[in-house]
Amino acid sequence: MDHILVLYRSKYGATKRYAELLKEKLACDILDARSFQKDMAARYECFIFAGAIYASGISGMDVLRKNYPYIRDKKIAVLCVGASPYDDKAIEEVRKNNLKELSGKIPLFYARGAWDESRMTFKDRTLCKLLQKMINGKDPDVCEPWMKALLAASGKKCDWVDEKYLGPLIENIAD
């Protein structure tokens, strides 16, 4: 039996980089979540689901929900990756939206990812521009941290991927 499997969904690469960092730190297997088959569940003692945050949703959570009956007795953690700095209120919203019935059973961790509009799909770039336009006229004192981060990153390439964000997750898995 293998010990840990990291299942990730990565659209622009930051989440995959975190999965690769976890592989280095934990000597675990990594797999694109879309390739997971329920018969793989018996081979692992621990599952880490890693996905990017899009509009308060975590990519790949459908794989967790679909396969939860096969892994519910195993150790499970979720790593969400976003472009904003950590914010308790925002993470609680992400937890509510993604781990409704599982929130007491599955810990959620956050890592800051990357921002590069030139790599975004037309749809993602358009949605971000609309959000930026909507936020741009607001008083900065009433803006949420994610709003400020969105405005600050506009037109820039930013890379915040850092193994330091994985510390709390790694500690949890080691317990």
Side-chain angles (χ1 to χ4, degrees):
M1 178 180 293
D2 298 313
H3 184 60
I4 302 168
L5 177 61
V6 176
L7 295 162
Y8 69 90
R9 288 285 297 273
S10 190
K11 192 171 185 179
Y12 297 114
T15 305
K16 183 177 182 181
R17 288 171 53 204
Y18 277 116
E20 291 166 347
L21 285 169
L22 284 167
K23 183 175 182 168
E24 290 174 20
K25 298 287 181 189
L26 297 172
C28 59
D29 294 333
I30 64 172
L31 180 70
D32 186 306
R34 292 172 285 209
S35 299
F36 183 73
Q37 302 293 318
K38 67 182 176 187
D39 61 328
M40 299 169 127
R43 291 181 31 209
Y44 296 93
E45 298 168 9
C46 177
F47 293 86
I48 300 170
F49 288 83
I53 300 170
Y54 295 101
S56 294
I58 304 172
S59 59
M61 286 300 93
D62 56 325
V63 176
L64 170 58
R65 282 189 279 286
K66 176 181 168 189
N67 291 287
Y68 186 73
Y70 311 107
I71 64 172
R72 70 173 169 246
D73 296 328
K74 315 277 183 147
K75 189 164 200 165
I76 304 169
V78 173
L79 174 68
C80 59
V81 178
S84 299
Y86 180 86
D87 177 63
D88 282 327
K89 183 180 170 186
I91 295 303
E92 193 51 42
E93 187 69 24
V94 169
R95 181 186 314 280
K96 256 183 10 192
N97 289 340
N98 295 275
L99 298 173
K100 296 173 187 102
E101 65 282 352
L102 306 172
S103 65
K105 302 173 187 173
I106 300 176
L108 177 69
F109 300 91
Y110 180 78
R112 198 160 186 203
W115 179 269
D116 183 352
E117 293 169 17
S118 70
R119 295 189 64 213
M120 290 181 188
T121 64
F122 176 76
K123 179 182 174 184
D124 287 348
R125 198 170 42 253
T126 301
L127 290 171
C128 287
K129 292 293 179 195
L130 287 170
L131 265 176
Q132 289 165 338
K133 189 174 182 178
M134 181 183 80
I135 296 166
N136 209 16
K138 287 189 175 221
D139 177 359
D141 293 335
V142 299
C143 284
E144 300 280 336
W146 70 266
M147 294 174 176
K148 292 176 183 176
L150 181 64
L151 292 175
S154 181
K156 298 178 185 167
K157 289 183 182 182
C158 305
D159 187 349
W160 302 285
V161 174
D162 191 320
E163 68 183 53
K164 71 180 180 188
Y165 294 112
L166 298 176
L169 170 61
I170 291 169
E171 285 178 31
N172 176 272
I173 296 303
D175 287 341

